[in-house]
Amino acid sequence: MHKIDPSEITPEHVYLSRRKFLKGMGALAAGAVLLSACDGEAPPSTPASVMAPPTDELTPYESINAYNNYYEFSLGKEAVARLSQGFKTDPWTVEVEGLVAKPKTFDLDALGQFAATERIYRMRCVEAWSMVIPWFGFPLAALLKEVEPTSEAQYVRFETVYAPEQMPGQESTRFSWPYIEGLRLDEAMHDLTILATGIYGKPLLPQTGAPIRLVVPWKYGFKGIKSIVKIDLVADMPTSFWMAQAPNEYGFFANVNPNVPHPRWSQSSERRIGENSRRRTLLFNGYEAEVAQLYEGMDLTKWF
Ligand SMILES: Nc1nc2c(c(=O)[nH]1)N[C@H]1C(S)=C(S)[C@@H](COP(=O)(O)O)O[C@H]1N2
Ligand SMILES: [Mo]
């Protein structure tokens, strides 16, 4: 696994990784980024990622790691950190197989070969809370290219580790374990889609999905499957953990959409962790310009 040294998070590094997002941004936004990238200390305290509105502040490291959804450990968001302490994430392997020319099992060292990038993304849970997280990781596309999906591959199916002896929640028969998620191949290949291995330049802790988890910033948080052990290229749309659990509440695409209420939660606004007032939820979580073309012709007024 790529060991993230704190010295890697230099202002230059932050600046350079953000610069990649400047395409299509106005000079004002670019100026804001330059300013925030030049103010010295790392990790940056209030920078504006160009992918996020300039007013979005990073959620503090402590909050990101103290309020988690990870049902394998607990249904209580504040209990996950404690119950996942000591969860064994080394050694670890991710098997990539299915409709690929070159199936391959990646160990931590092999995963560390992929060029690391920093991505500051909003994360929006369907329960209507959100955070802004500075991830470290690499595009999922880089890994998929290495295994060479065949022309029959249409979807990617992800699986979380099954380890009930370490994950007390997996003893519950209320859910069908392991946790499964899926993406259409073009969504999986999109540059915004990453496999994350760190936050704020530090390796992921168990509660955020160590050692490796998916991040798809324009979709609801439940698509971001944690502690992945298996990635399968398949022909048919996978049934996700939540689709199996409550098909009337959870669709496959799950793109953030303020206009389509979930049966239990209006999606029009959200509570940003650490802020008092609610903010308006943005279509595709604010990444419309980057991803709307993936869904041309689909009915955005429906829950999906
Ligand atoms: N394996 C697994 N992955 C999971 C979950 C889970 O319960 N198990 N919860 C999901 C949900 S609902 C959300 S909102 C995000 C939360 O990520 P965070 O705890 O890092 O904020 O993880 C997602 N990934
Ligand atoms: Mo969630």
Side-chain angles (χ1 to χ4, degrees), residues 69 77 123-127 129 179 220-223 242:
N69 269 334
K77 295 185 214 316
M123 191 183 75
R124 171 63 158 77
C125 174
V126 74
E127 297 161 339
W129 53 267
Y179 197 97
Y220 290 114
F222 64 83
K223 297 296 289 184
W242 283 111

Coordinates of all heavy atoms in Angstrom, one line a residue, residues 69 77 123-127 129 179 220-223 242, ligand 2:
N69 N -21.4 5.6 8.9 CA -22.3 4.5 8.6 C -21.4 3.3 8.2 O -20.7 3.4 7.2 CB -23.2 4.9 7.5 CG -24.5 5.5 8.0 OD1 -24.9 5.2 9.1 ND2 -25.1 6.3 7.2
K77 N -24.0 5.5 14.6 CA -22.9 6.2 13.9 C -21.7 6.5 14.8 O -20.6 6.5 14.4 CB -23.4 7.5 13.2 CG -24.4 7.2 12.1 CD -24.8 8.5 11.5 CE -26.2 8.5 11.0 NZ -26.7 7.3 10.3
M123 N -19.6 14.7 0.4 CA -20.2 13.4 0.5 C -21.6 13.5 1.1 O -21.7 14.2 2.1 CB -19.4 12.4 1.4 CG -20.0 11.0 1.2 SD -19.2 9.8 2.3 CE -19.9 10.3 3.8
R124 N -22.6 13.0 0.4 CA -24.0 13.3 0.8 C -24.6 11.9 1.0 O -24.8 11.1 0.1 CB -24.7 14.0 -0.4 CG -26.2 14.2 -0.3 CD -26.6 15.0 0.8 NE -27.9 15.6 0.6 CZ -29.1 14.9 0.8 NH1 -29.1 13.7 1.1 NH2 -30.2 15.5 0.5
C125 N -25.0 11.7 2.3 CA -25.7 10.5 2.7 C -27.2 10.7 2.4 O -27.7 11.8 2.5 CB -25.5 10.2 4.2 SG -26.5 8.8 4.8
V126 N -27.9 9.6 2.0 CA -29.3 9.7 1.7 C -30.1 10.1 3.0 O -31.2 10.5 2.9 CB -29.8 8.4 1.1 CG1 -29.9 7.3 2.1 CG2 -31.1 8.5 0.3
E127 N -29.5 9.9 4.2 CA -30.2 10.4 5.4 C -30.1 11.9 5.5 O -30.6 12.4 6.6 CB -29.5 9.7 6.6 CG -29.6 8.2 6.6 CD -28.6 7.6 7.6 OE1 -27.6 8.2 7.9 OE2 -28.8 6.4 7.9
W129 N -27.4 14.1 5.6 CA -26.3 14.8 6.2 C -25.2 14.7 5.2 O -25.1 13.9 4.3 CB -25.9 14.2 7.5 CG -25.6 12.7 7.6 CD1 -26.5 11.7 7.9 CD2 -24.4 12.1 7.3 NE1 -25.9 10.5 7.8 CE2 -24.6 10.7 7.4 CE3 -23.1 12.5 6.9 CZ2 -23.6 9.7 7.2 CZ3 -22.1 11.5 6.7 CH2 -22.4 10.2 6.8
Y179 N -21.9 -6.8 2.3 CA -22.3 -5.6 1.6 C -21.9 -5.7 0.1 O -20.7 -6.0 -0.2 CB -21.7 -4.4 2.3 CG -22.3 -3.1 2.1 CD1 -23.2 -2.5 3.0 CD2 -21.9 -2.3 1.0 CE1 -23.8 -1.3 2.8 CE2 -22.5 -1.0 0.8 CZ -23.4 -0.5 1.7 OH -23.9 0.8 1.5
Y220 N -25.4 9.0 -3.7 CA -25.6 8.9 -2.3 C -24.5 8.1 -1.7 O -24.0 7.1 -2.3 CB -27.0 8.4 -2.0 CG -28.0 9.4 -2.3 CD1 -29.0 9.2 -3.3 CD2 -28.1 10.7 -1.7 CE1 -29.9 10.1 -3.7 CE2 -29.0 11.6 -2.0 CZ -30.0 11.4 -3.0 OH -30.9 12.3 -3.3
G221 N -24.2 8.4 -0.4 CA -23.0 7.8 0.3 C -23.0 6.3 0.3 O -22.0 5.6 0.3
F222 N -24.2 5.7 0.3 CA -24.3 4.2 0.4 C -23.6 3.5 -0.8 O -23.3 2.3 -0.7 CB -25.7 3.7 0.7 CG -26.7 3.9 -0.4 CD1 -26.8 3.0 -1.5 CD2 -27.6 5.0 -0.3 CE1 -27.7 3.2 -2.5 CE2 -28.6 5.2 -1.3 CZ -28.6 4.3 -2.4
K223 N -23.4 4.2 -1.9 CA -22.8 3.6 -3.0 C -21.3 3.4 -2.7 O -20.6 2.6 -3.4 CB -22.9 4.4 -4.3 CG -24.3 4.6 -4.8 CD -25.0 3.3 -5.3 CE -24.4 2.8 -6.6 NZ -25.2 1.6 -7.0
W242 N -28.4 -2.7 -0.4 CA -29.6 -1.9 -0.1 C -30.8 -2.2 -1.0 O -32.0 -2.1 -0.6 CB -29.3 -0.4 0.0 CG -28.6 -0.1 1.2 CD1 -27.3 0.3 1.4 CD2 -29.1 -0.2 2.6 NE1 -27.0 0.4 2.7 CE2 -28.1 0.2 3.5 CE3 -30.4 -0.5 3.1 CZ2 -28.2 0.2 4.9 CZ3 -30.5 -0.5 4.5 CH2 -29.5 -0.1 5.3
Ligands
MO2 MO -25.6 6.7 3.9

